[in-house]
Amino acid sequence: MRASPEFSSSDRYHYAKNAHEAVLRLRDAGLVTQLQAIRIEDGAVLFDLASGTSVPAEQW
């Protein structure tokens, strides 16, 4: 059972490694239909499930 499309969640990670791992686990588990990772410092999109954007972990 999937959550309602109106449901949203936001997480913040101090370490890029942890954020990258969380994104990959959510994607691989199929628990999300929309997923973005945005670097707060400069607003760069690091991961976007819908558009297929995926920046290598070393650049997070």
Side-chain angles (χ1 to χ4, degrees):
M1 174 183 246
R2 289 182 183 250
S4 166
E6 293 82 32
F7 176 77
S8 65
S9 177
S10 177
D11 294 319
R12 293 179 183 220
Y13 293 90
H14 183 74
Y15 296 104
K17 176 186 169 208
N18 295 348
H20 187 259
E21 183 177 308
V23 164
L24 296 181
R25 286 184 183 205
L26 285 168
R27 180 200 64 192
D28 294 345
L31 297 174
V32 295
T33 56
Q34 296 181 2
L35 179 61
Q36 289 184 323
I38 300 170
R39 188 169 42 224
I40 294 172
E41 183 178 275
D42 60 4
V45 176
L46 304 173
F47 184 90
D48 187 339
L49 185 62
S51 71
T53 302
S54 183
V55 175
E58 298 80 29
Q59 295 177 15
W60 281 47

Coordinates of all heavy atoms in Angstrom, one line a residue:
M1 N 0.8 -1.2 0.0 CA 0.0 0.0 0.0 C 0.9 1.2 0.0 O 1.8 1.4 0.8 CB -0.9 0.0 1.2 CG -1.7 1.2 1.4 SD -2.6 1.2 2.9 CE -4.3 1.1 2.3
R2 N 0.6 2.1 -0.9 CA 1.4 3.4 -1.0 C 0.7 4.5 -0.3 O -0.5 4.6 -0.3 CB 1.7 3.8 -2.4 CG 2.6 2.8 -3.1 CD 2.9 3.3 -4.5 NE 3.7 2.3 -5.2 CZ 5.0 2.6 -5.5 NH1 5.5 3.8 -5.3 NH2 5.7 1.7 -6.1
A3 N 1.5 5.4 0.2 CA 0.9 6.6 0.9 C 0.2 7.5 -0.2 O 0.4 7.4 -1.4 CB 2.0 7.4 1.5
S4 N -0.7 8.3 0.3 CA -1.4 9.2 -0.6 C -0.4 10.2 -1.3 O 0.6 10.6 -0.7 CB -2.4 10.1 0.3 OG -2.8 11.2 -0.4
P5 N -0.7 10.5 -2.6 CA 0.2 11.4 -3.3 C 0.3 12.8 -2.6 O 1.3 13.5 -2.9 CB -0.4 11.6 -4.7 CG -1.4 10.5 -4.8 CD -1.8 10.0 -3.4
E6 N -0.6 13.1 -1.8 CA -0.5 14.4 -1.1 C 0.4 14.4 0.1 O 0.8 15.4 0.6 CB -1.9 14.8 -0.6 CG -2.9 15.2 -1.7 CD -3.6 13.9 -2.3 OE1 -3.8 13.0 -1.5 OE2 -3.9 13.9 -3.5
F7 N 0.9 13.2 0.5 CA 1.8 13.1 1.6 C 3.2 13.4 1.1 O 3.7 13.0 0.1 CB 1.8 11.6 2.1 CG 2.8 11.4 3.2 CD1 2.5 11.8 4.5 CD2 4.0 10.7 2.9 CE1 3.5 11.6 5.5 CE2 4.9 10.5 3.9 CZ 4.6 10.9 5.2
S8 N 3.9 14.2 1.9 CA 5.3 14.5 1.6 C 6.1 14.4 2.9 O 5.6 14.5 4.0 CB 5.4 15.9 1.0 OG 5.0 16.9 2.0
S9 N 7.4 14.3 2.6 CA 8.4 14.1 3.7 C 9.6 14.8 3.4 O 10.0 15.0 2.2 CB 8.6 12.6 3.9 OG 9.6 12.5 4.9
S10 N 10.3 15.3 4.4 CA 11.6 16.0 4.1 C 12.6 15.5 5.2 O 12.3 15.5 6.4 CB 11.4 17.5 4.2 OG 12.6 18.2 4.1
D11 N 13.8 15.2 4.8 CA 14.8 14.8 5.7 C 16.1 15.6 5.4 O 16.3 16.0 4.2 CB 15.2 13.3 5.5 CG 14.1 12.4 5.9 OD1 13.4 12.7 7.0 OD2 13.8 11.4 5.2
R12 N 16.9 15.8 6.4 CA 18.1 16.6 6.2 C 19.2 15.7 6.8 O 19.1 15.1 7.8 CB 18.1 17.9 6.9 CG 17.1 18.9 6.3 CD 17.1 20.2 7.0 NE 16.1 21.0 6.4 CZ 16.3 22.3 6.3 NH1 17.4 22.9 6.6 NH2 15.3 23.0 5.7
Y13 N 20.3 15.7 6.1 CA 21.5 14.9 6.5 C 22.7 15.8 6.6 O 23.0 16.6 5.7 CB 21.8 13.8 5.5 CG 20.7 12.7 5.4 CD1 19.6 12.9 4.6 CD2 20.7 11.6 6.2 CE1 18.6 11.9 4.5 CE2 19.7 10.7 6.2 CZ 18.6 10.8 5.3 OH 17.6 9.9 5.3
H14 N 23.5 15.6 7.6 CA 24.7 16.3 7.8 C 25.8 15.8 6.9 O 26.6 16.6 6.4 CB 25.2 16.3 9.3 CG 26.4 17.1 9.6 ND1 26.3 18.5 9.6 CD2 27.7 16.8 9.8 CE1 27.5 18.9 9.9 NE2 28.4 17.9 10.0
Y15 N 25.9 14.5 6.7 CA 26.9 13.9 5.9 C 26.4 13.4 4.6 O 25.3 12.7 4.5 CB 27.5 12.7 6.6 CG 28.2 13.0 7.9 CD1 27.6 12.8 9.1 CD2 29.4 13.7 7.9 CE1 28.2 13.1 10.3 CE2 30.0 14.1 9.1 CZ 29.4 13.8 10.3 OH 30.0 14.2 11.5
A16 N 27.1 13.8 3.5 CA 26.6 13.4 2.2 C 26.5 11.9 2.0 O 25.6 11.5 1.3 CB 27.6 14.0 1.1
K17 N 27.4 11.2 2.6 CA 27.4 9.7 2.4 C 26.1 9.2 2.9 O 25.5 8.3 2.3 CB 28.6 9.1 3.2 CG 28.6 7.6 3.3 CD 29.7 7.1 4.2 CE 29.6 5.6 4.4 NZ 30.1 5.2 5.6
N18 N 25.6 9.7 4.1 CA 24.3 9.2 4.6 C 23.2 9.5 3.7 O 22.2 8.8 3.5 CB 24.1 9.7 6.0 CG 25.1 9.2 7.0 OD1 25.9 8.3 6.7 ND2 25.2 9.9 8.2
A19 N 23.2 10.7 3.2 CA 22.1 11.2 2.3 C 22.1 10.3 1.0 O 21.0 9.9 0.6 CB 22.3 12.7 1.9
H20 N 23.2 10.1 0.4 CA 23.3 9.3 -0.8 C 22.8 7.9 -0.5 O 22.1 7.3 -1.3 CB 24.8 9.3 -1.3 CG 24.9 8.6 -2.6 ND1 25.4 7.3 -2.7 CD2 24.7 9.1 -3.9 CE1 25.4 7.0 -4.0 NE2 25.0 8.1 -4.7
E21 N 23.2 7.3 0.6 CA 22.8 5.9 0.9 C 21.3 5.9 1.1 O 20.6 5.0 0.6 CB 23.5 5.5 2.2 CG 23.1 4.1 2.6 CD 23.9 3.6 3.8 OE1 25.1 3.7 3.8 OE2 23.2 3.1 4.7
A22 N 20.7 6.9 1.8 CA 19.2 6.9 2.0 C 18.5 7.0 0.7 O 17.5 6.3 0.5 CB 18.9 8.1 2.9
V23 N 19.0 7.9 -0.2 CA 18.3 8.0 -1.6 C 18.3 6.7 -2.3 O 17.3 6.3 -2.8 CB 19.0 9.1 -2.4 CG1 18.7 9.0 -3.8 CG2 18.7 10.5 -1.8
L24 N 19.5 6.0 -2.3 CA 19.5 4.8 -3.1 C 18.6 3.7 -2.4 O 18.0 2.9 -3.1 CB 21.0 4.3 -3.1 CG 21.9 5.2 -3.9 CD1 23.3 4.6 -3.9 CD2 21.4 5.4 -5.3
R25 N 18.6 3.6 -1.1 CA 17.7 2.6 -0.4 C 16.3 2.9 -0.7 O 15.5 2.0 -1.0 CB 18.0 2.6 1.1 CG 19.3 2.0 1.4 CD 19.5 1.9 2.9 NE 20.8 1.3 3.1 CZ 21.1 0.7 4.2 NH1 20.2 0.5 5.2 NH2 22.3 0.2 4.4
L26 N 15.8 4.1 -0.7 CA 14.4 4.4 -1.0 C 14.1 4.1 -2.4 O 13.0 3.5 -2.7 CB 14.2 5.9 -0.7 CG 14.0 6.3 0.8 CD1 14.0 7.8 0.9 CD2 12.8 5.7 1.4
R27 N 15.0 4.5 -3.3 CA 14.7 4.1 -4.7 C 14.7 2.6 -5.0 O 13.7 2.1 -5.6 CB 15.9 4.7 -5.6 CG 15.7 4.5 -7.1 CD 17.0 4.6 -7.8 NE 18.0 3.6 -7.4 CZ 19.2 3.6 -7.7 NH1 19.7 4.6 -8.5 NH2 20.0 2.7 -7.3
D28 N 15.6 1.9 -4.4 CA 15.7 0.5 -4.7 C 14.5 -0.3 -4.0 O 14.1 -1.3 -4.5 CB 17.0 -0.1 -4.2 CG 18.2 0.4 -5.0 OD1 18.0 1.0 -6.1 OD2 19.4 0.3 -4.5
A29 N 14.0 0.2 -2.9 CA 12.9 -0.4 -2.2 C 11.6 -0.2 -2.9 O 10.6 -0.8 -2.6 CB 12.9 0.1 -0.7
G30 N 11.6 0.8 -3.8 CA 10.3 1.1 -4.5 C 9.3 1.8 -3.6 O 8.1 1.7 -3.9
L31 N 9.7 2.4 -2.6 CA 8.8 3.0 -1.6 C 8.3 4.4 -2.0 O 7.5 5.0 -1.3 CB 9.4 3.1 -0.2 CG 9.7 1.7 0.4 CD1 10.5 1.9 1.7 CD2 8.5 0.9 0.6
V32 N 8.9 5.0 -3.0 CA 8.6 6.4 -3.4 C 8.3 6.5 -4.9 O 8.8 5.7 -5.7 CB 9.8 7.3 -3.0 CG1 10.1 7.4 -1.5 CG2 11.1 6.9 -3.7
T33 N 7.5 7.5 -5.2 CA 7.3 7.8 -6.6 C 8.0 9.1 -7.0 O 8.2 9.3 -8.2 CB 5.7 7.9 -6.9 OG1 5.2 8.9 -6.0 CG2 5.0 6.6 -6.6
Q34 N 8.3 9.9 -6.1 CA 9.0 11.1 -6.3 C 10.1 11.2 -5.3 O 9.9 11.0 -4.1 CB 8.1 12.3 -6.3 CG 7.0 12.4 -7.3 CD 6.2 13.6 -7.2 OE1 6.4 14.5 -6.3 NE2 5.2 13.7 -8.0
L35 N 11.3 11.5 -5.7 CA 12.4 11.6 -4.8 C 13.5 12.6 -5.4 O 13.9 12.5 -6.5 CB 13.1 10.2 -4.6 CG 14.3 10.1 -3.7 CD1 13.9 10.5 -2.3 CD2 14.8 8.7 -3.7
Q36 N 13.8 13.6 -4.6 CA 14.8 14.5 -4.9 C 15.8 14.7 -3.8 O 15.4 14.7 -2.6 CB 14.2 15.9 -5.2 CG 13.5 16.0 -6.5 CD 13.0 17.4 -6.8 OE1 12.6 18.1 -5.9 NE2 13.0 17.8 -8.0
A37 N 17.1 14.9 -4.1 CA 18.1 15.3 -3.2 C 18.7 16.6 -3.6 O 19.2 16.7 -4.8 CB 19.2 14.2 -3.0
I38 N 18.6 17.6 -2.8 CA 19.1 18.9 -3.2 C 20.0 19.4 -2.1 O 19.8 19.4 -0.9 CB 17.9 19.9 -3.3 CG1 16.9 19.4 -4.3 CG2 18.3 21.3 -3.6 CD1 15.6 20.1 -4.4
R39 N 21.2 19.9 -2.6 CA 22.2 20.4 -1.7 C 21.8 21.7 -1.2 O 21.6 22.7 -2.0 CB 23.6 20.4 -2.4 CG 24.7 20.8 -1.4 CD 26.1 20.6 -2.0 NE 26.2 21.0 -3.4 CZ 26.8 20.3 -4.4 NH1 27.3 19.2 -4.2 NH2 26.8 20.8 -5.6
I40 N 21.6 21.9 0.1 CA 21.1 23.1 0.7 C 22.0 24.3 0.4 O 21.6 25.4 0.2 CB 20.8 22.9 2.2 CG1 19.6 22.0 2.4 CG2 20.5 24.3 2.9 CD1 19.4 21.5 3.8
E41 N 23.3 24.0 0.5 CA 24.3 25.1 0.4 C 24.2 25.9 -0.9 O 24.3 27.1 -0.9 CB 25.7 24.4 0.4 CG 26.9 25.3 0.4 CD 28.2 24.6 0.5 OE1 28.6 24.3 1.6 OE2 28.7 24.3 -0.6
D42 N 23.9 25.2 -2.0 CA 23.9 25.9 -3.3 C 22.6 25.6 -4.1 O 22.5 26.1 -5.2 CB 25.1 25.7 -4.1 CG 25.4 24.2 -4.4 OD1 24.5 23.4 -4.1 OD2 26.4 23.9 -5.0
G43 N 21.8 24.8 -3.6 CA 20.5 24.4 -4.3 C 20.7 23.5 -5.5 O 19.8 23.3 -6.3
A44 N 21.9 22.8 -5.6 CA 22.1 21.9 -6.7 C 21.3 20.6 -6.5 O 21.2 20.1 -5.4 CB 23.6 21.6 -6.8
V45 N 20.7 20.2 -7.6 CA 20.0 18.9 -7.6 C 21.0 17.8 -7.8 O 21.6 17.7 -8.8 CB 18.9 18.9 -8.7 CG1 18.2 17.5 -8.8 CG2 17.9 20.0 -8.6
L46 N 21.0 16.9 -6.8 CA 22.0 15.8 -6.8 C 21.3 14.5 -7.3 O 22.0 13.7 -7.8 CB 22.6 15.6 -5.4 CG 23.2 16.9 -4.8 CD1 23.6 16.6 -3.4 CD2 24.4 17.3 -5.6
F47 N 20.0 14.4 -7.0 CA 19.3 13.2 -7.4 C 17.9 13.6 -7.6 O 17.3 14.3 -6.9 CB 19.4 12.1 -6.3 CG 18.7 10.9 -6.8 CD1 19.4 9.9 -7.4 CD2 17.3 10.6 -6.5 CE1 18.8 8.7 -7.8 CE2 16.7 9.5 -6.9 CZ 17.4 8.5 -7.6
D48 N 17.3 13.2 -8.8 CA 15.9 13.4 -9.1 C 15.4 12.1 -9.8 O 15.8 11.9 -10.9 CB 15.7 14.6 -9.9 CG 14.3 15.0 -10.1 OD1 13.4 14.1 -10.0 OD2 14.0 16.2 -10.5
L49 N 14.5 11.4 -9.1 CA 14.0 10.2 -9.6 C 13.2 10.4 -10.9 O 13.4 9.6 -11.9 CB 13.1 9.5 -8.6 CG 12.6 8.1 -8.9 CD1 13.7 7.1 -9.1 CD2 11.7 7.6 -7.8
A50 N 12.4 11.4 -11.0 CA 11.5 11.7 -12.1 C 12.3 12.0 -13.4 O 12.0 11.5 -14.5 CB 10.6 12.8 -11.8
S51 N 13.4 12.8 -13.3 CA 14.1 13.2 -14.4 C 15.3 12.3 -14.7 O 16.0 12.5 -15.8 CB 14.6 14.7 -14.3 OG 15.7 14.7 -13.3
G52 N 15.7 11.4 -13.8 CA 16.8 10.5 -14.0 C 18.1 11.1 -13.7 O 19.2 10.6 -14.0
T53 N 18.1 12.3 -13.0 CA 19.3 12.9 -12.6 C 20.0 12.2 -11.4 O 19.3 11.8 -10.5 CB 19.1 14.4 -12.1 OG1 18.5 15.1 -13.2 CG2 20.3 15.1 -11.7
S54 N 21.3 11.9 -11.5 CA 22.0 11.2 -10.5 C 23.4 11.6 -10.5 O 24.2 11.1 -11.4 CB 21.8 9.7 -10.6 OG 22.5 9.0 -9.5
V55 N 23.8 12.5 -9.6 CA 25.2 12.9 -9.5 C 26.0 11.9 -8.7 O 25.5 11.4 -7.7 CB 25.2 14.3 -8.8 CG1 26.7 14.8 -8.6 CG2 24.5 15.3 -9.6
P56 N 27.2 11.5 -9.1 CA 28.0 10.6 -8.4 C 28.2 11.0 -6.9 O 28.3 12.2 -6.6 CB 29.4 10.6 -9.2 CG 29.0 11.1 -10.5 CD 27.9 12.0 -10.3
A57 N 28.3 10.0 -6.1 CA 28.4 10.2 -4.6 C 29.6 11.1 -4.3 O 29.5 11.9 -3.3 CB 28.5 8.9 -3.9
E58 N 30.7 11.0 -5.0 CA 31.9 11.9 -4.7 C 31.6 13.3 -4.9 O 32.3 14.2 -4.4 CB 33.0 11.5 -5.7 CG 33.5 10.0 -5.5 CD 32.5 9.0 -6.3 OE1 31.9 9.4 -7.3 OE2 32.5 7.9 -5.8
Q59 N 30.6 13.7 -5.6 CA 30.3 15.1 -5.9 C 29.2 15.7 -5.0 O 28.8 16.8 -5.1 CB 29.9 15.3 -7.3 CG 31.0 15.0 -8.3 CD 30.5 15.2 -9.7 OE1 29.5 15.7 -10.0 NE2 31.3 14.6 -10.6
W60 N 28.7 14.8 -4.1 CA 27.6 15.3 -3.2 C 28.3 16.1 -2.1 O 28.0 17.0 -1.5 CB 26.9 14.1 -2.5 CG 25.9 13.4 -3.4 CD1 26.1 13.1 -4.7 CD2 24.6 13.0 -3.1 NE1 25.0 12.5 -5.2 CE2 24.0 12.5 -4.2 CE3 23.8 13.1 -1.9 CZ2 22.7 12.0 -4.3 CZ3 22.6 12.6 -2.0 CH2 22.0 12.0 -3.1

